């Protein structure tokens, strides 16, 4: 586990979902919100909770916020609070700040004031969903850069009962197969002689247009 001590500021839907998942994965999570109802709601899940205004520098300092491995600013609607909180965290020397942005401008400001990573959950989820809805085989999509992605897709019909060597997508389609998911099994160290079976899910890396060509093959 890379990050153990995490603080989440803002317990809206995003902050709460993140808190639940990080706690489930074994992180110690400090949950902060200025609404006491939200704080009480997560008392059972978070390691520590505090009802506080994150724009209060003294409160954050007294919590020893700079000692956390990562601090997530999950405030969206209140742009002023999101930006001021990020500035204070930066000034207090927090090692890694992840901030949620509502839109591109908000994201730009957060980057400028020192957020190490800016996330756009609504936009990113919508893009992902659109790609999944429109695709033939794509089950999941991770964007590595605007040009490159990793996709999980159902093995196309013409690949079935052929080995990785035979389909040779690296040469023919400029796509690398990173892994094969077969039922509960995940084959990560791929042998060129590994034969693709019906129902296999291929984890493929490549340029978006090359992945699209792969996706257009008949299932
Ligand atoms: P989501 O979409 O995740 O539900 P949102 O983008 O609508 O959330 P907000 O509702 O603005 O985001 O904020 C999320 C949480 O942050 C709320 O529970 C709110 O009480 C809390 N919050 C807002 N401002 C502050 C602040 N200054 N200090 C602490 N918590 C705050």
């Amino acid at each position: 586990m890379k990050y153990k001590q995490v603080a989440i500021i803002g317990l809206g839907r995003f902050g709460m979902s993140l808190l639940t998942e990080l706690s489930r994965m074994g992180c110690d999570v400090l949950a902060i919100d200025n609404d006491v109802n939200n704080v009480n709601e997560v008392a059972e899940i978070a390691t520590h909770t505090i009802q506080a205004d994150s724009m209060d520098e003294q409160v954050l300092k007294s919590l020893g916020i700079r000692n956390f491995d990562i601090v997530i600013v999950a405030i969206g609607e209140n742009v002023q609070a999101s930006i001021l909180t990020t500035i204070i965290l930066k000034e207090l020397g927090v090692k890694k700040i992840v901030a949620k942005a509502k839109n591109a401008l908000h994201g730009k400001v957060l980057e400028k004031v020192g957020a190490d990573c800016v996330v756009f959950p609504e936009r990113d989820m919508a893009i992902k969903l659109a790609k999944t809805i429109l695709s033939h085989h794509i089950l999941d999509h991770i964007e590595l850069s605007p040009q490159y992605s990793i996709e999980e897709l159902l093995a196309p019909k013409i690949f079935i009962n052929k080995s990785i060597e035979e389909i040779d997508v690296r040469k023919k389609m400029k796509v690398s197969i990173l892994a094969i998911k077969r039922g509960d099994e995940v084959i990560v160290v791929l042998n060129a002689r590994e034969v693709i079976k019906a129902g296999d899910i291929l984890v493929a890396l490549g340029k978006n247009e090359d992945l699209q060509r792969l996706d257009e093959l008949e299932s």
Side-chain angles (χ1 to χ4, degrees):
M1 172 80 57
K2 204 169 166 202
Y3 301 113
K4 200 77 181 105
Q5 311 277 343
V6 181
I8 299 177
I9 302 174
L11 303 169
R13 288 160 301 175
F14 177 70
M16 283 217 197
S17 304
L18 199 58
L19 165 66
T20 308
E21 197 53 24
L22 288 171
S23 298
R24 194 187 63 76
M25 291 168 83
C27 292
D28 290 332
V29 189
L30 166 68
I32 306 168
D33 200 290
N34 60 359
D35 184 333
V36 72
N37 295 320
N38 290 349
V39 172
N40 289 339
E41 210 175 306
V42 302
E44 304 269 284
I45 312 164
T47 318
H48 303 284
T49 54
I50 178 142
Q51 186 245 325
D53 183 346
S54 59
M55 291 185 282
D56 186 334
E57 186 173 349
Q58 286 315 312
V59 172
L60 294 184
K61 206 172 185 175
S62 68
L63 290 169
I65 203 85
R66 70 187 301 275
N67 299 319
F68 282 78
D69 297 314
I70 183 160
V71 180
I72 298 146
V73 183
I75 303 169
E77 212 55 62
N78 187 343
V79 174
Q80 182 186 343
S82 142
I83 294 166
L84 282 180
T85 302
T86 304
I87 293 174
I88 293 169
L89 293 173
K90 194 72 190 172
E91 282 183 350
L92 290 175
V94 171
K95 294 185 270 287
K96 184 158 175 138
I97 305 167
V98 174
K100 171 187 141 149
K102 271 271 175 218
N103 53 46
L105 185 59
H106 184 192
K108 251 188 206 166
V109 178
L110 288 170
E111 265 174 20
K112 283 251 182 316
V113 299
D116 301 286
C117 173
V118 177
V119 293
F120 301 81
E122 290 93 349
R123 184 201 68 180
D124 293 349
M125 191 60 216
I127 292 172
K128 204 167 179 168
L129 184 60
K131 287 199 165 132
T132 309
I133 290 168
L134 292 178
S135 78
H136 301 257
H137 317 286
I138 297 174
L139 306 170
D140 205 353
H141 175 101
I142 301 166
E143 192 175 279
L144 298 179
S145 75
Q147 285 92 35
Y148 289 88
S149 302
I150 293 179
E151 275 176 4
E152 285 188 4
L153 69 156
L154 197 61
K157 212 170 170 181
I158 55 160
F159 290 178
I160 310 297
N161 297 325
K162 290 197 180 128
S163 67
I164 297 281
E165 203 166 33
E166 282 173 293
I167 62 169
D168 200 14
V169 282
R170 189 171 286 178
K171 203 162 173 191
K172 292 181 188 156
M173 306 188 91
K174 300 198 195 91
V175 165
S176 298
I177 307 292
L178 304 178
I180 297 177
K181 288 187 175 178
R182 184 172 295 151
D184 291 336
E185 192 190 0
V186 182
I187 309 164
V188 279
V189 184
L190 276 182
N191 188 310
R193 285 187 295 277
E194 183 71 44
V195 173
I196 296 167
K197 298 185 177 155
D200 276 359
I201 293 165
L202 309 180
V203 182
L205 163 71
K207 266 194 171 169
N208 294 335
E209 61 256 34
D210 296 326
L211 288 170
Q212 197 176 334
R213 283 198 295 137
L214 181 64
D215 176 47
E216 280 162 8
L217 295 174
E218 201 190 329
S219 57

